[in-house]
Short mmCIF file of all heavy atoms in Angstrom, two decimals:
data_model
loop_
_atom_site.label_atom_id
_atom_site.label_comp_id
_atom_site.label_asym_id
_atom_site.label_seq_id
_atom_site.Cartn_x
_atom_site.Cartn_y
_atom_site.Cartn_z
N PRO A 9 15.21 6.62 -9.65
CA PRO A 9 16.11 7.37 -10.45
C PRO A 9 15.82 8.83 -10.04
O PRO A 9 14.72 9.14 -9.51
CB PRO A 9 15.71 7.15 -11.89
CG PRO A 9 14.29 6.60 -11.79
CD PRO A 9 14.13 6.00 -10.43
N VAL A 10 16.77 9.68 -10.30
CA VAL A 10 16.56 11.13 -9.97
C VAL A 10 15.34 11.60 -10.79
O VAL A 10 15.25 11.32 -11.97
CB VAL A 10 17.77 11.94 -10.27
CG1 VAL A 10 17.51 13.46 -9.98
CG2 VAL A 10 18.91 11.49 -9.44
N ARG A 11 14.39 12.21 -10.11
CA ARG A 11 13.20 12.67 -10.79
C ARG A 11 13.05 14.11 -10.53
O ARG A 11 13.35 14.58 -9.47
CB ARG A 11 11.99 11.90 -10.17
CG ARG A 11 11.08 11.32 -11.23
CD ARG A 11 10.04 10.49 -10.52
NE ARG A 11 10.11 9.09 -10.94
CZ ARG A 11 9.62 8.09 -10.25
NH1 ARG A 11 9.17 8.24 -8.99
NH2 ARG A 11 9.61 6.86 -10.67
N MET A 12 12.54 14.83 -11.45
CA MET A 12 12.32 16.26 -11.26
C MET A 12 11.28 16.50 -10.17
O MET A 12 10.21 15.85 -10.20
CB MET A 12 11.83 16.90 -12.54
CG MET A 12 12.83 16.89 -13.61
SD MET A 12 14.09 18.10 -13.44
CE MET A 12 13.20 19.55 -13.99
N VAL A 13 11.55 17.34 -9.24
CA VAL A 13 10.59 17.75 -8.25
C VAL A 13 10.08 19.11 -8.56
O VAL A 13 10.91 20.10 -8.66
CB VAL A 13 11.14 17.60 -6.84
CG1 VAL A 13 10.14 18.11 -5.80
CG2 VAL A 13 11.60 16.21 -6.53
N ASP A 14 8.79 19.31 -8.77
CA ASP A 14 8.23 20.57 -9.15
C ASP A 14 8.12 21.43 -7.80
O ASP A 14 7.22 21.19 -7.02
CB ASP A 14 6.92 20.38 -9.78
CG ASP A 14 6.13 21.66 -10.09
OD1 ASP A 14 6.50 22.67 -9.57
OD2 ASP A 14 5.13 21.53 -10.86
N THR A 15 9.06 22.33 -7.62
CA THR A 15 9.11 23.04 -6.37
C THR A 15 7.89 23.93 -6.10
O THR A 15 7.41 24.07 -4.98
CB THR A 15 10.36 23.93 -6.25
OG1 THR A 15 10.50 24.69 -7.41
CG2 THR A 15 11.61 23.10 -6.03
N GLY A 16 7.28 24.45 -7.22
CA GLY A 16 6.08 25.24 -7.06
C GLY A 16 4.93 24.40 -6.53
O GLY A 16 4.18 24.79 -5.59
N ALA A 17 4.80 23.20 -7.09
CA ALA A 17 3.70 22.28 -6.60
C ALA A 17 3.98 21.86 -5.14
O ALA A 17 2.97 21.77 -4.38
CB ALA A 17 3.69 21.03 -7.52
N VAL A 18 5.21 21.68 -4.82
CA VAL A 18 5.50 21.27 -3.41
C VAL A 18 5.16 22.44 -2.46
O VAL A 18 4.57 22.20 -1.42
CB VAL A 18 7.05 20.90 -3.28
CG1 VAL A 18 7.43 20.81 -1.80
CG2 VAL A 18 7.33 19.62 -4.00
N GLU A 19 5.46 23.65 -2.87
CA GLU A 19 5.10 24.82 -2.03
C GLU A 19 3.62 24.93 -1.83
O GLU A 19 3.14 25.19 -0.70
CB GLU A 19 5.63 26.09 -2.62
CG GLU A 19 7.07 26.43 -2.26
CD GLU A 19 7.60 27.54 -3.10
OE1 GLU A 19 6.87 28.42 -3.55
OE2 GLU A 19 8.86 27.53 -3.31
N ALA A 20 2.86 24.77 -2.89
CA ALA A 20 1.39 24.79 -2.81
C ALA A 20 0.86 23.73 -1.85
O ALA A 20 -0.04 23.91 -1.06
CB ALA A 20 0.76 24.67 -4.18
#
Side-chain angles (χ1 to χ4, degrees):
V10 178
R11 228 174 240 157
M12 295 284 281
V13 175
D14 177 344
T15 49
V18 168
E19 274 169 29

